[in-house]
Amino acid sequence: MATAAAASRVAVSAPVFGSDGGARSSGIKGNNNVSFGSKSWVGGTLAWESSCSVRPRRASKVLCMSVQQASRSKVSVAPLHLESAKEPPLNTYKPKEPFTATIVSVESLVGPKAPGETCHIVIDHGGNVPYWEGQSYGVIPPGENPKKPGAPQNVRLYSIASTRYGDNFDGRTGSLCVRRAVYYDPETGKEDPSKNGVCSNFLCNSKPGDKIQLTGPSGKIMLLPEEDPNATHIMIATGTGVAPFRGYLRRMFMEDVPNYRFGGLAWLFLGVANSDSLLYDEEFTSYLKQYPDNFRYDKALSREQKNRSGGKMYVQDKIEEYSDEIFKLLDGGAHIYFCGLKGMMPGIQDTLKKVAERRGESWDQKLAQLKKNKQWHVEVY
């Protein structure tokens, strides 16, 4: 890792999502040699600048995911046969016969003022559990199922936070973005480890080299439609729900994918508690600088910002702020995606209904049409 004062060649340590959160760093030398894990690109493929500040592991393992591209050059990816499948891989590994993968890295994505820890977890599957952007992995934590003595734990699903090539761009890893689920007794205010999330804590406590039981990949609803490379994609996330969108955006703006040259508009709305809770923020900000005509990025920080009524700023408030634009884009065929806690949807639906009525439209009819046109994509947990 590099400190804030250092700008040297750095091996990437990449982080992730699931229903329960990681970080990555990158760097360059003057000769434009870039190292990602054990892989390097030399000469003008990339020009990235890194500045990371490393904190103690528990407080915030890595408070940086610096990906400031100095040029529009993209990263070469392999193996390209991952582009040839006509259908997404589904349930290659099932709960009764999971794949044993290996933890590569676990990094904190958040700062010390974030209300809870979110980790980026890179998993080495050796190319054996391929997936597409927008799919999920299942994780079986160690131990016995408390409701079925003698049986393994149930599978927990986590949206994958990387492209099919993984954070090392070689098709051998997948990344998850995992929020550590911690339970505090409402009376004492103290943590009760016996009620903490089993799988999220297992993942966030993992060390490089640890083994993990994977199932999947699963899911088709959040697959990125690529038939039209100039389409508009509106992405609305709360917390770790940003995971699939990180995969989309890396595919659009970071990777050199021969058969997908994105020229449309990607618009990300991300809702979190405060600035320290932002996930992959430097990565997204770099796209904003490099592709201002193709990427928009709006943040709703509920504990730092106020909405028009003076209340807390949530993603639905941002949607209302840009509602005319969003509705025009939807009328023009834009895809809209929602990912995060299921509690996000009622507020968003109410806002969209209110906006539609203000425009003299029936939201129910509009929603039915969006679903019929396959423009509406929802994955909440």
Side-chain angles (χ1 to χ4, degrees):
M1 292 295 181
T3 64
S8 58
R9 180 174 171 179
V10 182
V12 155
S13 156
V16 206
F17 160 83
S19 52
D20 281 18
R24 78 182 234 100
S25 63
S26 62
I28 71 163
K29 249 185 172 178
N31 62 1
N32 283 10
N33 290 9
V34 183
S35 173
F36 297 92
S38 59
K39 200 163 182 178
S40 297
W41 285 263
V42 181
T45 306
L46 268 184
W48 286 3
E49 206 172 281
S50 171
S51 63
C52 290
S53 82
V54 180
R55 296 176 177 269
R57 185 175 189 274
R58 181 68 183 173
S60 174
K61 296 163 213 156
V62 180
L63 188 59
C64 160
M65 283 195 27
S66 198
V67 195
Q68 274 104 23
Q69 270 182 295
S71 75
R72 286 186 177 228
S73 299
K74 294 187 176 183
V75 184
S76 298
V77 292
L80 289 178
H81 69 70
L82 292 177
E83 301 293 325
S84 60
K86 301 299 182 186
E87 293 292 327
L90 287 171
N91 302 310
T92 309
Y93 288 89
K94 297 177 173 60
K96 289 186 178 180
E97 294 183 345
F99 179 80
T100 301
T102 304
I103 297 290
V104 175
S105 63
V106 178
E107 307 287 351
S108 180
L109 283 172
V110 298
K113 295 181 181 179
E117 185 178 30
T118 300
C119 295
H120 183 82
I121 298 148
V122 180
I123 300 165
D124 184 353
H125 58 77
N128 295 291
V129 197
Y131 56 88
W132 283 10
E133 299 73 23
Q135 289 192 296
S136 299
Y137 271 156
V139 176
I140 304 174
E144 195 174 77
N145 190 324
K147 296 182 179 179
K148 297 178 182 177
Q153 292 273 7
N154 290 331
V155 173
R156 273 72 161 180
L157 291 178
Y158 295 90
S159 295
I160 299 171
S162 50
T163 73
R164 66 194 71 185
Y165 297 102
D167 285 6
N168 287 349
F169 311 106
D170 60 3
R172 299 180 61 85
T173 67
S175 298
L176 305 180
C177 179
V178 180
R179 168 75 181 263
R180 185 191 290 273
V182 179
Y183 177 82
Y184 292 93
D185 187 287
E187 293 183 3
T188 66
K190 293 183 179 179
E191 181 181 339
D192 184 350
S194 68
K195 296 181 180 179
N196 286 350
V198 172
C199 198
S200 66
N201 280 273
F202 160 66
L203 288 168
C204 290
N205 290 334
S206 294
K207 305 287 191 300
D210 286 355
K211 300 302 178 183
I212 179 176
Q213 301 299 305
L214 278 187
T215 68
S218 62
K220 297 178 77 173
I221 189 66
M222 294 293 284
L223 292 175
L224 178 65
E226 296 187 356
E227 298 83 8
D228 178 7
N230 298 314
T232 294
H233 304 273
I234 303 167
M235 300 159 279
I236 298 161
T238 58
T240 57
V242 77
F245 306 142
R246 179 184 184 249
Y248 295 177
L249 294 170
R250 287 170 75 91
R251 186 164 174 83
M252 291 171 178
F253 300 125
M254 186 183 288
E255 297 180 344
D256 183 15
V257 182
N259 58 312
Y260 185 59
R261 306 291 190 188
F262 182 67
L265 172 66
W267 191 353
L268 174 64
F269 291 86
L270 175 58
V272 294
N274 56 26
S275 298
D276 268 15
S277 304
L278 287 167
L279 307 175
Y280 312 111
D281 184 58
E282 291 194 30
E283 202 164 300
F284 301 148
T285 301
S286 74
Y287 304 147
L288 199 58
K289 292 177 181 176
Q290 294 303 312
Y291 300 93
D293 296 331
N294 303 97
F295 183 53
R296 294 175 66 172
Y297 178 31
D298 283 278
K299 311 167 203 178
L301 309 178
S302 61
R303 299 188 186 181
E304 293 180 6
Q305 298 173 328
K306 300 292 184 184
N307 62 23
R308 290 175 176 176
S309 303
K312 292 183 176 181
M313 176 71 79
Y314 294 109
V315 283
Q316 60 261 36
D317 299 309
K318 282 291 180 184
I319 291 170
E320 186 169 14
E321 191 177 321
Y322 293 102
S323 57
D324 285 340
E325 243 183 305
I326 290 170
F327 270 63
K328 285 176 184 174
L329 289 170
L330 291 174
D331 290 343
H335 291 269
I336 190 164
Y337 312 80
F338 305 87
C339 191
L341 294 173
K342 58 186 174 184
M344 71 187 273
M345 289 309 295
I348 289 172
Q349 289 269 32
D350 289 346
T351 296
L352 292 170
K353 184 176 182 180
K354 182 169 62 176
V355 171
E357 289 173 350
R358 199 165 62 218
R359 292 166 56 91
E361 300 179 54
S362 163
W363 172 244
D364 290 340
Q365 289 179 8
K366 192 172 193 70
L367 177 58
Q369 191 63 46
L370 290 171
K371 289 179 177 179
K372 183 180 178 181
N373 295 344
K374 298 182 178 179
Q375 294 172 251
W376 182 266
H377 313 262
V378 179
E379 183 172 87
V380 292
Y381 42 88

